[in-house]
Amino acid sequence: MADVVDSEDLAEISVTGLLTLRSVSEDFTNKEEVPDGGNADTAVISESLDRQPKEPGEVKTDEGPRLQPSVWIKSECDEKVKSFSVISSVPYIAANIQVLINPVNLPENMLPGTQLSRAYGKDIAGKADVYHFMNKTKDFITDCTSQHLVHNQAFCTVGPQFWCNSTKIFNYEIDPRSFLLIVDTGGPMRCVLTVYITDVPEPPDCTADPQFSSGSATLEVDEDYPLFQSVYRVMATNKDSAKGDKVMYTIETQLSGPKKGAKTFGVDPVSDVVSLRGADLLDFDAGYHVFQLALRATDTTGLFCQGTLIITIRNVNDEKPQFDAFPLDSINVTENKPVGEIIVRVKATDRDEDSSITYSFKTQQAMFDLDSFTGIITLLRPLNLDNPNNTKAYPLGIEARDNENNTSTYMCIVSVKNVDDPVICDSSFSTGAVDATTCFALDPRNGVISKTSKLLLDYETDPKHFQIVIAVRNRGNRTLESRVGIITINIQNVNDESPILTRPIYIPDASINIYEKLLVRTKLVKLTATDRDIGDSVHYEFIGTQKEFSINEDSREVTVTYPSDYEDATTPHSWVLYFRAYDNERVHSTTGRLTAILQDLNDNPSQCTQNIYIIELPKHIPVETLLVSQTCTDKDGTEPNNNITYHLITDTFSNEAFTLTNNELKIGLTHLDYDNAIFAGMQFKYTLFVRVCDGGNPVLSTIITIIIRVRRINELNPIGTTSTFTFSILENSPTDTLVGKISFTDADPLNNIKYTIVGGNFGKPPKFYIEADTGMIKLLNSLDREVEPQYKIAVRITDLDNDAIPDPLKQRSSTAQVIINVLKMNDEPPVCNPPHLEIRIYSIIQIPFIQLNCSDKDSPQEELSYSIGRGNTNYQFTLWRGVDPPSLATTQTFQYDVFQGIQDPVTFQLLIEVTDELSGNKASQLSATTTVIIHVFSWTTMQPTSATKTTTTTVST
């Protein structure tokens, strides 16, 4: 209950949002604060009323005119609408002003110009400027042309009435929720028009991230991004959340490209977090390079906001090389396989597009060599099974490694097959091919054995041992007696051989091809040299300094020491490497030359000046119009690695709407159709992908995303189910009864229609109004079928905002004719005129002597029934219905005596009841009574000199 404070101080009144009336002193300023006890819903009164007191109860003293004691008004609020309780000790003076709708409930967010109510004062018709606000307000004004009250200026008067409109879009959450408009006519008449701002459900707001709500929010993630970790937050806000409204988040569509169909991302319906959900793995190498998510935030009423998120996937070298296995993981060779020949080639593949693979043995191998780049395995030593040091099976562990050190291992076995060999003698002894006497000489005189000059001994090729049989005889003795002995001569090895470079690894003046960006310590080639000196080993070194390469002194492997980039201008594309092979003590050496040629790898995807395009087009853009000319380059230094081609990736809907010729995207043969339900579900935008590929192996590509929005053009008028609507309503229906609803739709995608009554005979004051947003026609004032049985109304249906930039002058509209038939209700009782009759008759009369004059506005005469209720003594009178309305007649002559005169009563007072709806529902019948006084005179009695007097009385039904 509001507090009441009486005061004789000057009262000042204003309404700014919610209203407070209070009493203040004359020195009160417009900026004074609300007194203690006020609250946030109380607005300060600051507009003084400057007029002389005219009404009872006003106070006037020597200091000048005073107003009535002022009244505190405080707001009492519920959850939906804030209302006012007013308690005043001032006598209320009724205003002769009719406010047709009061109070007015104005939903928030209604467009300016919404009609609210109309005030009408018939007693002030024709007076200029009679309406005034007792309180000025910034929220309503009067439009003199249309007789509407709008806001922000004083009233102007058009006849005895004005209309109240709003021109501000109100927000229930932040604006005042009630307004009191005190309308004063300049005299004792005033009225208060109350406007309540009511809450309506509002869609969530997705504009916290403008790029998301405009369809261009983008981000990049690696393909190995962890599951369930946040990628993006929608960040939608809901103005209705304070009232318990909740927002749920969903992914409406999820497109992937260039490979389609992946369902990789999900959104938490409550926390708005977008993350990887694991339905489909995020795999760049499988073709999932970009995703487009249409994310929607929906409240409990079904209202929603929506935006687009484009996620580009970055390729990560996350795949291990995969070996092509041999049958049964076995390699079969014969024992007589020549040294240096190729045993087999191992091969591994990597799904990562820009990856190169190198090979190595898991353990050092003495019998085999593995080329690190080609995977070729060659034989280093004989496999002869007659050698007890050799075996029939050699297990090989081979490792494949990509650029990022992802490795995989393959195990296989080299199986050696035995073959029949010829008989071989011990080569350390002469078999007669070299005669010892050829190499050695014996002096017969002194027995000295010496080396001859005929043949040089070679430890590496000749026998290592010679046995000489020597016979000794006496010189002077001619007998045959002698002694025989065997002398073994062992040949000693001498370091007399130079190393020899051998094939197939080394070919004079041959070149080897190496690929760019090989990892440090990658093996390029293993040099092969032999030294015929048994027991002597060969060592290797580069002649001069080499930054890019090194050679192992003992293992003879040439490896990479510095990575090379073919596209780097400071890196040569070929090298001539001079090396030396020398024996143990550097006594002998051999030089060689190795030419290394750098090969270009396809390691650079195409780079484009722009990867995302957002274009806005009108729907009627001509065919072959150029939309985008894409500029892309490839850093790779050679063809076909740097040859670029463009490929357009579209869906079925946009397949024929666009064409791509080389790097130019143009409008195709199919016109852009904005008025399409499928396109409306796509938020009126096309999402295209252009894949830019090079010609290398493997093919590297870049995805360009092109979002094309189509601007709407308002080209279709609203269309209704019919142009003429007919409704019926009972004449006794209460105010705000629904008469009917007219329904129009707009084939343009945004079906935003406004309904307005623009003409017709809709009564004075108007009997009907139409809800601007729904098309529902409702009753504004009471109806009387007897006054007007039918109304015809013209309604304009306006298409509000189907242009990208709404223009009121270009809005499209249609017109509908509405016929409203008022149905009959028995709401009028019979009426007799006059309601009281008095008549004199002679006692001998036997014919109808007076006809009743009764009628009913909503019933014909034949549906009225008449009956004599009281006063018909001896049933002397009857109702004669020869003609309607009926007449009174006597049923018999009166009793008469010659001497005594009339013996029946000489005065009768008849009460006649008239009832309508003779054949209708008795519950709805209405009746009335009329009184007839009949004075009966003897026929011999003289006629009185005075005329009959007819009196009119009031008859109640």
Side-chain angles (χ1 to χ4, degrees), residues 45-64:
I45 304 307
S46 61
E47 186 63 31
S48 63
L49 298 176
D50 187 12
R51 65 179 178 86
Q52 295 296 321
K54 298 180 181 181
E55 301 183 11
E58 292 187 345
V59 180
K60 184 173 182 181
T61 66
D62 294 338
E63 298 179 1

Side-chain angles (χ1 to χ4, degrees), residues 831-838 930-931 933 949-955:
V831 176
C832 295
N833 188 23
H836 178 81
L837 294 175
E838 189 171 3
T930 181
T931 303
I933 300 175
K949 180 181 180 182
T950 302
T951 7
T952 303
T953 62
T954 303
V955 179

Side-chain angles (χ1 to χ4, degrees), residues 270 374 422 745:
V270 177
T374 62
T745 57

Side-chain angles (χ1 to χ4, degrees), residues 497-502 506 527-531 536-543 551-554 556 577-593:
E497 300 284 346
S498 296
I500 299 174
L501 299 173
T502 60
Y506 177 73
L527 300 175
T528 304
T530 60
D531 192 327
D536 204 359
S537 57
V538 181
H539 308 278
Y540 304 85
E541 66 182 1
F542 277 129
I543 301 175
I551 186 171
N552 187 279
E553 178 183 8
D554 298 318
R556 66 188 187 277
L577 307 176
Y578 292 94
F579 63 91
R580 179 184 295 113
Y582 58 91
D583 57 16
N584 285 341
E585 298 179 1
R586 290 184 177 269
V587 176
H588 305 285
S589 64
T590 302
T591 60
R593 184 176 65 184

Side-chain angles (χ1 to χ4, degrees), residues 143-257:
D143 183 347
C144 299
T145 304
S146 63
Q147 304 181 12
H148 292 172
L149 174 65
V150 200
H151 82 278
N152 205 23
Q153 70 183 40
F155 280 100
C156 70
T157 303
V158 182
Q161 59 184 346
F162 71 87
W163 287 81
C164 177
N165 287 16
S166 71
T167 57
K168 173 183 177 181
I169 298 177
F170 290 93
N171 189 329
Y172 180 84
E173 283 72 25
I174 62 175
D175 285 334
R177 300 179 184 176
S178 299
F179 297 87
L180 258 62
L181 307 178
I182 304 177
V183 182
D184 187 13
T185 60
M189 305 302 178
R190 68 172 66 93
C191 69
V192 177
L193 174 61
T194 304
V195 180
Y196 295 128
I197 308 303
T198 60
D199 188 24
V200 296
E202 297 179 83
D205 185 3
C206 291
T207 59
D209 183 352
Q211 290 184 334
F212 170 73
S213 58
S214 65
S216 60
T218 60
L219 57 88
E220 293 184 355
V221 298
D222 293 333
E223 64 173 322
D224 59 354
Y225 200 83
L227 287 173
F228 308 111
Q229 183 171 321
S230 174
V231 174
Y232 182 81
R233 294 197 66 179
V234 180
M235 295 187 299
T237 58
N238 185 12
K239 293 181 180 180
D240 298 327
S241 59
K243 299 186 291 296
D245 194 11
K246 296 182 180 180
V247 176
M248 300 292 287
Y249 300 90
T250 56
I251 296 179
E252 293 301 303
T253 58
Q254 182 170 178
L255 305 178
S256 61

